[in-house]
Amino acid sequence: ISNIKHLYLSNNEIRYICPHKLKRLMKIKTLGLKGNPLNVFPDVTPLNNTLETLYVGDVGLSAVPRHLIDPLIKLTRLNLNKNKLTTVPNMAILNMNTRLTYLILRENPIKKLHLRDAESLYHVKEVRMNYTAIQTLPKFCPMKPTHISLAGSKFDPCACENSWVKLPDCNVTVSVDEVICPGAAKPWIDLTYQGLIAVCRNISVSLDADDFMRGNNSVSDSLKLTDLNIHPFEVITYEI
């Protein structure tokens, strides 16, 4: 057992992992525990010097304790899909563990990615949040390229507050379901940042001079003219 490098124990009835017994897995690199009724994040800290991939999807997790993941200094891939996480785990841990490059959060009831969590993804190469309830992403510009997969989620790529993901200097790319924004002549994936701003301004802002003079600005719930640095009467033309 001391020579095992890849151990898959998925879809059993395992309810508890004894940390002491894991010490015998001296060369383990991959541990698969998905589909077991653990309900808590397993203590696999005895594997801290060798474990690179950990699958703990569909085990009933509602939290990821920092003290159980901080010691996993060799971990590069963490799969947490199909759990009960309502927010992205306290990702401050990832700034300390710079080896983690793949984070899988598919099919969790996550509704929001907070800026403090987003900023701590600076060293993560790929984050998968498909089929979550996330609608917007806070602007963050990691030091290295980060890809966020949101296909199947409630993320609205046409919303003005999400237009920052098209900025060429932010090192963030996003994959979504194929969509053509209202008023656009081509799919969202082919729009530039300037083109997307022009489109979302056209579909999100509706004012006329009378409304403006009365102080009755009709704008979308998520957009303010000042957010786009556009004067209400300024005419801007972008090539879409």
PDB file of all heavy atoms in Angstrom, residues 68-90:
ATOM      1  N   LEU A  68      -7.565  22.514   7.111  1.00  0.00           N
ATOM      2  CA  LEU A  68      -7.443  21.186   6.507  1.00  0.00           C
ATOM      3  C   LEU A  68      -6.874  21.227   5.091  1.00  0.00           C
ATOM      4  O   LEU A  68      -6.508  20.179   4.546  1.00  0.00           O
ATOM      5  CB  LEU A  68      -8.808  20.493   6.489  1.00  0.00           C
ATOM      6  CG  LEU A  68      -9.390  20.097   7.843  1.00  0.00           C
ATOM      7  CD1 LEU A  68     -10.720  19.396   7.670  1.00  0.00           C
ATOM      8  CD2 LEU A  68      -8.416  19.210   8.615  1.00  0.00           C
ATOM      9  N   ILE A  69      -6.799  22.418   4.513  1.00  0.00           N
ATOM     10  CA  ILE A  69      -6.277  22.500   3.155  1.00  0.00           C
ATOM     11  C   ILE A  69      -4.973  23.267   3.067  1.00  0.00           C
ATOM     12  O   ILE A  69      -4.162  23.040   2.168  1.00  0.00           O
ATOM     13  CB  ILE A  69      -7.335  23.127   2.216  1.00  0.00           C
ATOM     14  CG1 ILE A  69      -6.982  22.842   0.766  1.00  0.00           C
ATOM     15  CG2 ILE A  69      -7.494  24.605   2.479  1.00  0.00           C
ATOM     16  CD1 ILE A  69      -8.049  23.246  -0.212  1.00  0.00           C
ATOM     17  N   ASP A  70      -4.732  24.161   3.998  1.00  0.00           N
ATOM     18  CA  ASP A  70      -3.474  24.912   4.033  1.00  0.00           C
ATOM     19  C   ASP A  70      -2.234  24.011   3.979  1.00  0.00           C
ATOM     20  O   ASP A  70      -1.279  24.314   3.257  1.00  0.00           O
ATOM     21  CB  ASP A  70      -3.417  25.782   5.286  1.00  0.00           C
ATOM     22  CG  ASP A  70      -3.709  27.238   4.965  1.00  0.00           C
ATOM     23  OD1 ASP A  70      -3.840  27.566   3.774  1.00  0.00           O
ATOM     24  OD2 ASP A  70      -3.785  28.043   5.892  1.00  0.00           O
ATOM     25  N   PRO A  71      -2.202  22.902   4.740  1.00  0.00           N
ATOM     26  CA  PRO A  71      -0.987  22.073   4.756  1.00  0.00           C
ATOM     27  C   PRO A  71      -0.709  21.318   3.454  1.00  0.00           C
ATOM     28  O   PRO A  71       0.395  20.794   3.281  1.00  0.00           O
ATOM     29  CB  PRO A  71      -1.261  21.075   5.896  1.00  0.00           C
ATOM     30  CG  PRO A  71      -2.317  21.710   6.734  1.00  0.00           C
ATOM     31  CD  PRO A  71      -3.169  22.455   5.754  1.00  0.00           C
ATOM     32  N   LEU A  72      -1.683  21.277   2.525  1.00  0.00           N
ATOM     33  CA  LEU A  72      -1.511  20.486   1.306  1.00  0.00           C
ATOM     34  C   LEU A  72      -0.692  21.272   0.285  1.00  0.00           C
ATOM     35  O   LEU A  72      -1.193  21.751  -0.732  1.00  0.00           O
ATOM     36  CB  LEU A  72      -2.879  20.107   0.733  1.00  0.00           C
ATOM     37  CG  LEU A  72      -3.813  19.369   1.703  1.00  0.00           C
ATOM     38  CD1 LEU A  72      -5.151  19.087   1.048  1.00  0.00           C
ATOM     39  CD2 LEU A  72      -3.160  18.080   2.189  1.00  0.00           C
ATOM     40  N   ILE A  73       0.573  21.361   0.527  1.00  0.00           N
ATOM     41  CA  ILE A  73       1.449  22.252  -0.229  1.00  0.00           C
ATOM     42  C   ILE A  73       1.743  21.779  -1.645  1.00  0.00           C
ATOM     43  O   ILE A  73       2.204  22.551  -2.483  1.00  0.00           O
ATOM     44  CB  ILE A  73       2.780  22.456   0.522  1.00  0.00           C
ATOM     45  CG1 ILE A  73       3.473  21.106   0.763  1.00  0.00           C
ATOM     46  CG2 ILE A  73       2.542  23.174   1.836  1.00  0.00           C
ATOM     47  CD1 ILE A  73       4.841  21.248   1.401  1.00  0.00           C
ATOM     48  N   LYS A  74       1.457  20.504  -1.956  1.00  0.00           N
ATOM     49  CA  LYS A  74       1.704  19.973  -3.293  1.00  0.00           C
ATOM     50  C   LYS A  74       0.423  19.923  -4.147  1.00  0.00           C
ATOM     51  O   LYS A  74       0.481  19.572  -5.323  1.00  0.00           O
ATOM     52  CB  LYS A  74       2.293  18.564  -3.198  1.00  0.00           C
ATOM     53  CG  LYS A  74       3.674  18.490  -2.557  1.00  0.00           C
ATOM     54  CD  LYS A  74       4.721  19.142  -3.439  1.00  0.00           C
ATOM     55  CE  LYS A  74       6.112  18.994  -2.869  1.00  0.00           C
ATOM     56  NZ  LYS A  74       6.591  17.599  -2.911  1.00  0.00           N
ATOM     57  N   LEU A  75      -0.698  20.305  -3.568  1.00  0.00           N
ATOM     58  CA  LEU A  75      -1.982  20.183  -4.253  1.00  0.00           C
ATOM     59  C   LEU A  75      -2.059  21.115  -5.464  1.00  0.00           C
ATOM     60  O   LEU A  75      -1.842  22.324  -5.344  1.00  0.00           O
ATOM     61  CB  LEU A  75      -3.123  20.503  -3.285  1.00  0.00           C
ATOM     62  CG  LEU A  75      -4.529  20.103  -3.729  1.00  0.00           C
ATOM     63  CD1 LEU A  75      -4.652  18.584  -3.789  1.00  0.00           C
ATOM     64  CD2 LEU A  75      -5.567  20.674  -2.768  1.00  0.00           C
ATOM     65  N   THR A  76      -2.376  20.548  -6.631  1.00  0.00           N
ATOM     66  CA  THR A  76      -2.510  21.349  -7.849  1.00  0.00           C
ATOM     67  C   THR A  76      -3.945  21.352  -8.376  1.00  0.00           C
ATOM     68  O   THR A  76      -4.344  22.273  -9.078  1.00  0.00           O
ATOM     69  CB  THR A  76      -1.590  20.825  -8.961  1.00  0.00           C
ATOM     70  OG1 THR A  76      -1.928  19.465  -9.264  1.00  0.00           O
ATOM     71  CG2 THR A  76      -0.131  20.912  -8.533  1.00  0.00           C
ATOM     72  N   ARG A  77      -4.710  20.320  -8.066  1.00  0.00           N
ATOM     73  CA  ARG A  77      -6.087  20.228  -8.572  1.00  0.00           C
ATOM     74  C   ARG A  77      -7.027  19.859  -7.422  1.00  0.00           C
ATOM     75  O   ARG A  77      -6.822  18.844  -6.747  1.00  0.00           O
ATOM     76  CB  ARG A  77      -6.182  19.179  -9.679  1.00  0.00           C
ATOM     77  CG  ARG A  77      -7.569  19.060 -10.304  1.00  0.00           C
ATOM     78  CD  ARG A  77      -7.599  17.946 -11.328  1.00  0.00           C
ATOM     79  NE  ARG A  77      -6.788  18.261 -12.487  1.00  0.00           N
ATOM     80  CZ  ARG A  77      -7.264  18.830 -13.599  1.00  0.00           C
ATOM     81  NH1 ARG A  77      -8.549  19.135 -13.689  1.00  0.00           N
ATOM     82  NH2 ARG A  77      -6.455  19.084 -14.611  1.00  0.00           N
ATOM     83  N   LEU A  78      -8.071  20.681  -7.243  1.00  0.00           N
ATOM     84  CA  LEU A  78      -9.060  20.431  -6.195  1.00  0.00           C
ATOM     85  C   LEU A  78     -10.445  20.432  -6.828  1.00  0.00           C
ATOM     86  O   LEU A  78     -10.885  21.435  -7.394  1.00  0.00           O
ATOM     87  CB  LEU A  78      -8.970  21.509  -5.114  1.00  0.00           C
ATOM     88  CG  LEU A  78      -9.989  21.431  -3.970  1.00  0.00           C
ATOM     89  CD1 LEU A  78      -9.876  20.104  -3.220  1.00  0.00           C
ATOM     90  CD2 LEU A  78      -9.818  22.605  -3.019  1.00  0.00           C
ATOM     91  N   ASN A  79     -11.139  19.307  -6.734  1.00  0.00           N
ATOM     92  CA  ASN A  79     -12.469  19.173  -7.315  1.00  0.00           C
ATOM     93  C   ASN A  79     -13.513  19.156  -6.205  1.00  0.00           C
ATOM     94  O   ASN A  79     -13.536  18.252  -5.370  1.00  0.00           O
ATOM     95  CB  ASN A  79     -12.549  17.876  -8.134  1.00  0.00           C
ATOM     96  CG  ASN A  79     -13.815  17.809  -8.956  1.00  0.00           C
ATOM     97  OD1 ASN A  79     -14.902  18.139  -8.491  1.00  0.00           O
ATOM     98  ND2 ASN A  79     -13.696  17.343 -10.192  1.00  0.00           N
ATOM     99  N   LEU A  80     -14.380  20.178  -6.215  1.00  0.00           N
ATOM    100  CA  LEU A  80     -15.420  20.328  -5.194  1.00  0.00           C
ATOM    101  C   LEU A  80     -16.812  20.358  -5.814  1.00  0.00           C
ATOM    102  O   LEU A  80     -17.750  20.899  -5.233  1.00  0.00           O
ATOM    103  CB  LEU A  80     -15.194  21.629  -4.409  1.00  0.00           C
ATOM    104  CG  LEU A  80     -13.893  21.741  -3.615  1.00  0.00           C
ATOM    105  CD1 LEU A  80     -13.668  23.184  -3.175  1.00  0.00           C
ATOM    106  CD2 LEU A  80     -13.920  20.828  -2.393  1.00  0.00           C
ATOM    107  N   ASN A  81     -16.981  19.782  -6.985  1.00  0.00           N
ATOM    108  CA  ASN A  81     -18.251  19.909  -7.687  1.00  0.00           C
ATOM    109  C   ASN A  81     -19.381  19.156  -7.003  1.00  0.00           C
ATOM    110  O   ASN A  81     -19.171  18.239  -6.209  1.00  0.00           O
ATOM    111  CB  ASN A  81     -18.113  19.427  -9.135  1.00  0.00           C
ATOM    112  CG  ASN A  81     -17.927  17.924  -9.235  1.00  0.00           C
ATOM    113  OD1 ASN A  81     -17.036  17.358  -8.623  1.00  0.00           O
ATOM    114  ND2 ASN A  81     -18.782  17.272 -10.009  1.00  0.00           N
ATOM    115  N   LYS A  82     -20.597  19.588  -7.283  1.00  0.00           N
ATOM    116  CA  LYS A  82     -21.828  18.943  -6.790  1.00  0.00           C
ATOM    117  C   LYS A  82     -21.883  18.856  -5.274  1.00  0.00           C
ATOM    118  O   LYS A  82     -22.290  17.838  -4.710  1.00  0.00           O
ATOM    119  CB  LYS A  82     -21.984  17.550  -7.398  1.00  0.00           C
ATOM    120  CG  LYS A  82     -22.264  17.548  -8.883  1.00  0.00           C
ATOM    121  CD  LYS A  82     -22.542  16.141  -9.389  1.00  0.00           C
ATOM    122  CE  LYS A  82     -22.859  16.140 -10.870  1.00  0.00           C
ATOM    123  NZ  LYS A  82     -23.152  14.783 -11.388  1.00  0.00           N
ATOM    124  N   ASN A  83     -21.485  19.929  -4.610  1.00  0.00           N
ATOM    125  CA  ASN A  83     -21.627  19.991  -3.154  1.00  0.00           C
ATOM    126  C   ASN A  83     -22.679  21.018  -2.762  1.00  0.00           C
ATOM    127  O   ASN A  83     -23.515  21.398  -3.592  1.00  0.00           O
ATOM    128  CB  ASN A  83     -20.262  20.287  -2.513  1.00  0.00           C
ATOM    129  CG  ASN A  83     -19.410  19.038  -2.382  1.00  0.00           C
ATOM    130  OD1 ASN A  83     -19.754  18.086  -1.679  1.00  0.00           O
ATOM    131  ND2 ASN A  83     -18.284  19.018  -3.095  1.00  0.00           N
ATOM    132  N   LYS A  84     -22.631  21.504  -1.531  1.00  0.00           N
ATOM    133  CA  LYS A  84     -23.635  22.446  -1.032  1.00  0.00           C
ATOM    134  C   LYS A  84     -23.028  23.817  -0.743  1.00  0.00           C
ATOM    135  O   LYS A  84     -23.542  24.569   0.074  1.00  0.00           O
ATOM    136  CB  LYS A  84     -24.282  21.882   0.232  1.00  0.00           C
ATOM    137  CG  LYS A  84     -24.983  20.542   0.028  1.00  0.00           C
ATOM    138  CD  LYS A  84     -25.549  20.001   1.335  1.00  0.00           C
ATOM    139  CE  LYS A  84     -26.218  18.658   1.130  1.00  0.00           C
ATOM    140  NZ  LYS A  84     -26.752  18.101   2.419  1.00  0.00           N
ATOM    141  N   LEU A  85     -21.952  24.137  -1.415  1.00  0.00           N
ATOM    142  CA  LEU A  85     -21.268  25.402  -1.184  1.00  0.00           C
ATOM    143  C   LEU A  85     -22.101  26.552  -1.752  1.00  0.00           C
ATOM    144  O   LEU A  85     -22.457  26.564  -2.926  1.00  0.00           O
ATOM    145  CB  LEU A  85     -19.891  25.391  -1.847  1.00  0.00           C
ATOM    146  CG  LEU A  85     -18.934  24.295  -1.379  1.00  0.00           C
ATOM    147  CD1 LEU A  85     -17.694  24.264  -2.257  1.00  0.00           C
ATOM    148  CD2 LEU A  85     -18.548  24.521   0.079  1.00  0.00           C
ATOM    149  N   THR A  86     -22.407  27.528  -0.915  1.00  0.00           N
ATOM    150  CA  THR A  86     -23.195  28.685  -1.351  1.00  0.00           C
ATOM    151  C   THR A  86     -22.318  29.883  -1.680  1.00  0.00           C
ATOM    152  O   THR A  86     -22.777  30.847  -2.278  1.00  0.00           O
ATOM    153  CB  THR A  86     -24.221  29.076  -0.275  1.00  0.00           C
ATOM    154  OG1 THR A  86     -23.531  29.323   0.964  1.00  0.00           O
ATOM    155  CG2 THR A  86     -25.235  27.965  -0.058  1.00  0.00           C
ATOM    156  N   THR A  87     -21.075  29.834  -1.275  1.00  0.00           N
ATOM    157  CA  THR A  87     -20.103  30.861  -1.625  1.00  0.00           C
ATOM    158  C   THR A  87     -18.796  30.169  -1.996  1.00  0.00           C
ATOM    159  O   THR A  87     -18.563  29.019  -1.625  1.00  0.00           O
ATOM    160  CB  THR A  87     -19.836  31.843  -0.464  1.00  0.00           C
ATOM    161  OG1 THR A  87     -19.323  31.112   0.657  1.00  0.00           O
ATOM    162  CG2 THR A  87     -21.102  32.575  -0.068  1.00  0.00           C
ATOM    163  N   VAL A  88     -17.968  30.880  -2.719  1.00  0.00           N
ATOM    164  CA  VAL A  88     -16.650  30.332  -3.023  1.00  0.00           C
ATOM    165  C   VAL A  88     -15.888  30.223  -1.713  1.00  0.00           C
ATOM    166  O   VAL A  88     -15.920  31.142  -0.895  1.00  0.00           O
ATOM    167  CB  VAL A  88     -15.905  31.252  -4.006  1.00  0.00           C
ATOM    168  CG1 VAL A  88     -14.475  30.778  -4.221  1.00  0.00           C
ATOM    169  CG2 VAL A  88     -16.647  31.282  -5.330  1.00  0.00           C
ATOM    170  N   PRO A  89     -15.216  29.113  -1.458  1.00  0.00           N
ATOM    171  CA  PRO A  89     -14.462  28.953  -0.201  1.00  0.00           C
ATOM    172  C   PRO A  89     -13.499  30.106   0.020  1.00  0.00           C
ATOM    173  O   PRO A  89     -13.103  30.800  -0.922  1.00  0.00           O
ATOM    174  CB  PRO A  89     -13.706  27.639  -0.413  1.00  0.00           C
ATOM    175  CG  PRO A  89     -14.532  26.894  -1.400  1.00  0.00           C
ATOM    176  CD  PRO A  89     -15.108  27.927  -2.317  1.00  0.00           C
ATOM    177  N   ASN A  90     -13.136  30.311   1.267  1.00  0.00           N
ATOM    178  CA  ASN A  90     -12.209  31.397   1.610  1.00  0.00           C
ATOM    179  C   ASN A  90     -10.910  31.194   0.853  1.00  0.00           C
ATOM    180  O   ASN A  90     -10.008  30.510   1.294  1.00  0.00           O
ATOM    181  CB  ASN A  90     -11.941  31.390   3.114  1.00  0.00           C
ATOM    182  CG  ASN A  90     -11.035  32.532   3.530  1.00  0.00           C
ATOM    183  OD1 ASN A  90     -10.547  33.289   2.696  1.00  0.00           O
ATOM    184  ND2 ASN A  90     -10.816  32.659   4.816  1.00  0.00           N
TER     185      ASN A  90
END
